[in-house]
């Protein structure tokens, strides 16, 4: 049983090592290879740095044995000058390798972040439905900070310290091979300890990244929802949830710290034993006259320069484990293929009329079917209202048109072209969307409106603001259109935020409009002003409106009543009321004052 367990452990360890090498190879080919000329130069500087540090101990030997011992003052000053020159050279090389090494590390990290962010922008809404934003922030910032640190310090430690071990190893054997054997026999123990501890740290480092991302998600979620937390007096409840995540992160760090904490003490113990052997046995040889004081001094200096790089390499294993965990998570996201992308033969739209057709469209979130065989045809310039109970599939229909999601059956046509054959940028550029909870960026009022068309002039932005009834409250701000709206537009009311979103859509002026109840958060007076602006904007445009207000419904050319993922009724307001069907029942409950009085009496 123990033998089988041992084999399983060896197999698992071997798999981890192979996986680590695959990650490093892929990382090098994708991100380091483009800078191979510069990185090679930096690696040469690492070698020169190590070579230069080999000279001082030997020069000190000569200074002691041939200068001080023989009382040759001229030779002492000459050797001292050479030693100073060597250290000046060491300082110069160290400056070059440090500066350019960090520049390359920054550039590689810059490319990593750009590639990851660019890739995340290609992923569909479905991906973001199942991911925590805090986790993505951790991947983009924390993980890549670790990677950046190792990109420079990894080669620095491995190349410089590796060369130091080789060169100083040669020198101690050159100076006194018997003493070298006596002191270095214990050295393999450091390598064995380092390997065992590193393998234990790899899984721990991966767990730390997961727990850190989960903690970041909890912090991001709680800080964003602080107003809700305080209004519902849920501080204690959220503190408990935060404490669970924080404790999970703490425990994961302890699991890494426990093995890591053995590295330095064991290394110091081994170094202490080696130095004691060197001084004792070397001192004996000096007393016996078989070795000079200068040689013993140089030997001890070389021994330290042999041991400290060995300890440094063993200590860098923790960084390497964190690096491997970081790039593993990086490539995990980079390997997620966008489920919605341009077809090889996708076209760019030139002139959009706005003819939209749904042909037997089925859609599901995970396993839950939301839309069931949706069929309709919206003609250019027509306004269609989607009405129905919450969860019926109204918003889903509007999100399929710009291909935020993809149906698993059926097809959607724009001007007779399957939207899967249209380039995403071209498709979405011709669609304007105003949602109930449209997002406002932490930027100025001007820039939030100009987001609808980045090349718009300030005058055009202000004109759009006037049409959406934004200009009046914009003038009341101390800095006018240059006012910073704060995180998620916290400095404006819901009604004002809604009007800013409408101004953004007015500025874009697309041939197709999707309005997820664009006037839901405004008062009646403001609604009239916005409706007037929307009527101008909607003229000669295809409009799909998710309607919760009677005024919106009455302006529609047709109404689709949606229930349980199907269009159960279709027609104008008057036609559907005459049918006395589902729409009429819904209308009476929502908008008919008499029906509300009757309902209250029944309750």
């Amino acid at each position: 049983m123990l033998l089988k367990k041992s084999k399983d452990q060896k197999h698992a360890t071997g798999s981890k090592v192979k996986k680590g090498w695959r990650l490093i190879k892929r990382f090098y080919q994708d991100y380091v290879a483009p800078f191979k000329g510069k990185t090679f130069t930096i690696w040469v500087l690492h070698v020169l740095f190590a070579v230069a540090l080999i000279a001082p101990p030997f020069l000190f030997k000569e200074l002691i044995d041939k200068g001080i011992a023989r009382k040759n003052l001229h030779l002492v000053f000459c050797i001292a000058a050479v030693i100073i020159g060597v250290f000046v050279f060491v300082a110069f090389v160290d400056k070059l390798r440090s500066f350019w090494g960090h520049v390359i590390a920054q550039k590689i990290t810059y490319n990593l972040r750009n590639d990851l962010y660019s890739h995340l922008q290609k992923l569909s809404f479905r991906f973001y439905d199942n991911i925590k934003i805090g986790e993505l922030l951790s991947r983009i910032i924390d993980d890549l900070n670790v990677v950046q640190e190792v990109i420079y310090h990894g080669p620095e430690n491995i190349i410089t310290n590796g060369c130091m071990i080789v060169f100083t190893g040669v020198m101690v054997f050159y100076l006194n091979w018997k003493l070298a054997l006596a002191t270095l026999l214990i050295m393999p123990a450091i390598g064995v300890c380092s390997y065992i501890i590193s393998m234990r740290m790899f899984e721990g480092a991966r767990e730390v990244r997961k727990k850190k991302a989960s903690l970041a998600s909890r912090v991001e979620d709680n800080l964003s929802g602080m107003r809700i937390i305080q209004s519902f007096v849920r501080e204690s409840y959220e503190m408990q949830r935060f404490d669970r995540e924080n404790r999970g992160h703490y425990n994961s760090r302890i699991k890494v710290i426990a093995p890591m904490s053995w590295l330095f003490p064991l290394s110091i113990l081994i170094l202490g034993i080696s130095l004691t052997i060197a001084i004792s046995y070397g001192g004996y040889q000096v007393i016996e006259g078989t070795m000079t004081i200068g040689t013993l001094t140089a030997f001890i200096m070389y021994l330290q320069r042999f041991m400290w790089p060995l300890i440094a390499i063993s200590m860098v294993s923790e960084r390497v484990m964190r690096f491997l965990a970081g790039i593993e998570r990086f490539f995990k996201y980079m390997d997620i293929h966008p489920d919605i992308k341009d077809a090889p033969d996708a076209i760019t739209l030139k002139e959009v009329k706005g003819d939209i057709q749904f042909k037997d469209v089925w859609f599901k979130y995970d396993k839950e079917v939301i839309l069931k065989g949706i069929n309709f045809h919206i003609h250019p310039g027509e306004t269609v209202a989607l009405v129905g109970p919450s969860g019926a599939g109204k918003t889903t229909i509007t999100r399929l048109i710009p291909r935020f999601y993809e149906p698993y059956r059926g097809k959607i046509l724009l001007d007779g072209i399957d939207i899967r054959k249209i380039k995403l940028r071209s498709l979405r550029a011709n669609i304007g969307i105003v949602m109930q909870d449209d997002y406002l960026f932490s930027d100025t009022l001007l820039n939030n409106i100009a987001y609808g068309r980045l090349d718009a002039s300030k005058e055009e932005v202000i004109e759009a603001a006037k049409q959406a009834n934004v200009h009046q409250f914009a003038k009341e701000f101390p800095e006018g259109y240059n006012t910073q709206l704060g995180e998620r537009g916290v400095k404006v009311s819901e009604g004002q935020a809604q009007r800013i979103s409408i101004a953004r859509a007015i500025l874009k002026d697309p041939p197709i409009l999707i309005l997820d109840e664009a006037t839901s958060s405004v008062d009646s007076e403001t609604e009239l002003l916005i409706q007037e602006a929307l009527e101008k904007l909607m003229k000669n445009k295809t409009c799909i409106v998710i309607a919760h207000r009677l005024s919106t419904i009455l302006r529609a050319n047709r109404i689709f009543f949606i229930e349980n993922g199907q269009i159960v009724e279709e027609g104008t307001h008057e036609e559907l009321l005459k049918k006395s069907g589902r729409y009429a029942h819904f209308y009476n409950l929502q908008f008919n004052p008499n029906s509300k009085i009757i309902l209250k009496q029944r309750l």
Side-chain angles (χ1 to χ4, degrees):
M1 183 70 181
L2 290 173
L3 183 62
K4 184 178 184 297
K5 187 176 181 181
S6 178
K7 288 181 177 178
D8 289 343
Q9 288 176 339
K10 287 181 180 179
H11 178 72
T13 300
S15 297
K16 291 174 187 175
V17 172
K18 289 179 181 177
K19 185 176 183 180
W21 278 115
R22 284 198 301 268
L23 286 170
I24 291 171
K25 182 180 178 182
R26 181 179 177 186
F27 175 75
Y28 177 82
Q29 290 175 340
D30 291 355
Y31 291 98
V32 180
F35 302 95
K36 59 184 178 182
K38 293 178 180 178
T39 53
F40 178 75
T41 302
I42 294 166
W43 294 352
V44 170
L45 290 173
H46 290 325
V47 175
L48 283 176
F49 180 79
V51 170
L53 284 177
I54 298 302
F58 188 82
L59 291 171
F60 277 115
K61 170 189 173 299
E62 295 298 298
L63 186 146
I64 293 170
D65 289 344
K66 295 180 181 179
I68 297 175
R70 297 178 184 179
K71 298 181 181 181
N72 188 337
L73 193 58
H74 176 72
L75 185 60
V76 168
F77 285 129
C78 286
I79 295 175
V82 173
I83 292 172
I84 292 172
V86 170
F87 280 113
V88 168
F89 178 77
V90 167
F92 177 71
V93 171
D94 192 34
K95 191 273 179 190
L96 288 179
R97 71 178 189 138
S98 177
F99 176 77
W100 289 110
H102 281 102
V103 167
I104 296 301
Q106 288 283 351
K107 182 61 178 175
I108 291 172
T109 309
Y110 168 85
N111 291 340
L112 286 166
R113 282 204 176 97
N114 268 1
D115 286 354
L116 181 56
Y117 185 76
S118 176
H119 184 70
L120 290 174
Q121 289 191 111
K122 297 172 185 175
L123 301 181
S124 69
F125 279 25
R126 193 182 292 275
F127 169 79
Y128 291 99
D129 289 341
N130 299 296
I131 197 70
K132 296 177 180 178
I133 300 303
E135 181 176 341
L136 295 180
L137 289 174
S138 182
R139 299 289 80 79
I140 294 172
I141 298 172
D142 294 335
D143 277 6
L144 296 187
N145 280 343
V146 172
V147 171
Q148 174 187 307
E149 182 183 349
V150 177
I151 290 170
Y152 172 69
H153 291 292
E156 177 196 31
N157 278 296
I158 293 170
I159 296 174
T160 302
N161 292 324
C163 289
M164 288 290 293
I165 291 170
V166 173
F167 298 154
T168 54
V170 170
M171 289 305 296
V172 293
F173 275 94
Y174 169 75
L175 292 173
N176 191 316
W177 67 270
K178 290 182 180 180
L179 188 57
L181 283 176
T183 55
L184 298 182
L185 281 174
I186 199 171
M187 291 300 102
I190 293 182
V192 172
C193 292
S194 177
Y195 177 78
I196 294 172
I197 291 170
S198 296
M199 288 301 102
R200 291 185 178 181
M201 287 165 55
F202 180 70
E203 284 299 327
R206 182 189 297 173
E207 185 65 20
V208 167
R209 307 313 301 167
K210 291 179 181 177
K211 294 297 183 181
K212 190 172 185 179
S214 184
L215 178 63
S217 295
R218 173 55 53 205
V219 172
E220 194 270 342
D221 195 36
N222 283 12
L223 294 180
S224 298
M226 190 57 70
R227 290 169 180 78
I228 300 297
I229 292 171
Q230 292 181 355
S231 65
F232 281 88
V233 198
R234 291 292 181 266
E235 291 90 345
S236 297
Y237 171 71
E238 290 301 340
M239 187 64 225
Q240 291 174 3
R241 294 213 294 173
F242 175 81
D243 183 66
R244 281 197 297 271
E245 296 292 351
N246 197 21
R247 185 165 295 277
H249 178 256
Y250 165 81
N251 291 334
S252 68
R253 287 292 300 165
I254 294 299
K255 289 179 181 178
V256 173
I257 291 170
M260 183 180 68
S261 63
W262 280 104
L263 276 174
F264 194 70
L266 288 173
S267 301
I268 290 295
L269 175 62
I270 295 168
L271 174 60
I273 293 171
S274 295
L275 286 175
T276 302
I277 293 172
I279 293 172
S280 301
Y281 186 34
Y284 167 76
Q285 290 184 336
V286 170
I287 292 171
E288 289 293 312
T290 57
M291 185 167 65
T292 65
I293 290 289
T295 301
L296 179 59
T297 302
F299 187 94
I300 292 172
M301 291 178 70
Y302 279 127
L303 184 62
Q304 288 180 312
R305 294 195 181 189
F306 179 88
M307 291 293 295
W308 283 114
L310 202 62
I311 294 171
I313 287 178
S314 66
M315 292 294 290
V316 84
S317 60
E318 189 267 343
R319 283 181 178 177
V320 172
M321 294 304 107
R322 291 168 60 201
F323 167 78
L324 290 175
I327 60 172
E328 181 184 34
R329 303 282 286 183
F330 171 81
F331 284 124
K332 172 189 171 184
Y333 284 107
M334 291 298 293
D335 289 339
I336 297 175
H337 297 290
D339 57 327
I340 298 176
K341 55 186 178 182
D342 288 336
D345 57 345
I347 64 170
T348 299
L349 296 172
K350 294 182 179 179
E351 185 178 346
V352 176
K353 297 177 181 177
D355 186 281
I356 299 173
Q357 294 183 63
F358 273 53
K359 292 189 174 183
D360 192 32
V361 171
W362 293 69
F363 176 81
K364 60 183 177 182
Y365 290 108
D366 297 325
K367 295 182 180 180
E368 182 185 3
V369 178
I370 305 298
L371 299 181
K372 307 166 186 175
I374 296 292
N375 289 281
F376 62 73
H377 187 181
I378 303 175
H379 302 285
E382 188 177 16
T383 297
V384 170
L386 307 182
V387 181
S390 298
K394 304 184 297 295
T395 298
T396 301
I397 289 174
T398 62
R399 289 183 175 179
L400 291 178
I401 297 170
R403 290 187 72 197
F404 293 148
Y405 295 95
E406 203 89 286
Y408 71 91
R409 189 191 305 174
K411 58 183 178 179
I412 303 168
L413 306 180
L414 174 58
D415 292 348
I417 304 169
D418 190 326
I419 60 173
R420 288 171 293 193
K421 298 291 185 181
I422 302 171
K423 289 184 178 179
L424 282 171
R425 287 182 63 85
S426 179
L427 175 66
R428 293 172 183 174
N430 286 282
I431 300 173
I433 304 174
V434 179
M435 303 179 186
Q436 272 184 306
D437 54 349
D438 235 342
Y439 191 89
L440 295 183
F441 294 94
S442 181
D443 204 340
T444 64
L445 172 59
L446 182 76
N447 288 342
N448 265 283
I449 298 174
Y451 208 79
R453 184 159 58 87
L454 296 178
D455 62 346
S457 65
K458 184 176 181 179
E459 291 72 22
E460 290 174 313
V461 172
I462 293 174
E463 181 58 33
K466 288 179 179 178
Q467 292 185 47
N469 198 30
V470 172
H471 188 66
Q472 184 176 357
F473 69 79
K475 292 190 298 182
E476 296 173 0
F477 289 143
E479 297 180 57
Y481 283 91
N482 291 320
T483 300
Q484 291 284 338
L485 299 187
E487 192 76 22
R488 298 175 183 267
V490 69
K491 293 184 180 179
V492 295
S493 68
E494 288 187 15
Q496 289 172 333
Q498 196 85 67
R499 281 176 271 170
I500 293 170
S501 300
I502 293 169
R504 188 187 287 169
I506 290 173
L507 186 65
K508 185 177 182 180
D509 194 25
I512 300 171
L513 285 174
I514 295 175
L515 307 175
D516 190 348
E517 191 46 84
T519 59
S520 62
S521 301
V522 298
D523 54 59
S524 299
E525 181 181 353
T526 304
E527 180 190 0
L528 292 174
L529 295 170
I530 293 177
Q531 284 290 357
E532 182 180 348
L534 287 176
E535 284 180 10
K536 297 176 183 177
L537 175 66
M538 294 164 68
K539 189 175 182 180
N540 300 321
K541 290 180 174 62
T542 302
C543 302
I544 302 172
V545 184
I546 297 177
H548 297 287
R549 288 200 173 193
L550 180 60
S551 56
T552 307
I553 295 173
L554 294 177
R555 286 177 172 83
N557 300 114
R558 278 187 296 160
I559 299 167
F560 297 157
F561 188 81
I562 301 169
E563 193 171 46
N564 296 323
Q566 295 177 306
I567 298 176
V568 295
E569 290 182 344
E570 176 185 342
T572 64
H573 174 67
E574 292 77 12
E575 290 171 349
L576 294 178
L577 283 182
K578 290 178 182 178
K579 288 184 179 180
S580 299
R582 295 296 299 134
Y583 172 79
H585 176 71
F586 182 83
Y587 166 77
N588 286 327
L589 288 177
Q590 292 287 104
F591 305 114
N592 192 329
N594 294 327
S595 67
K596 290 182 180 180
I597 293 171
I598 295 170
L599 183 61
K600 286 180 181 178
Q601 290 174 346
R602 288 178 180 177
L603 293 174

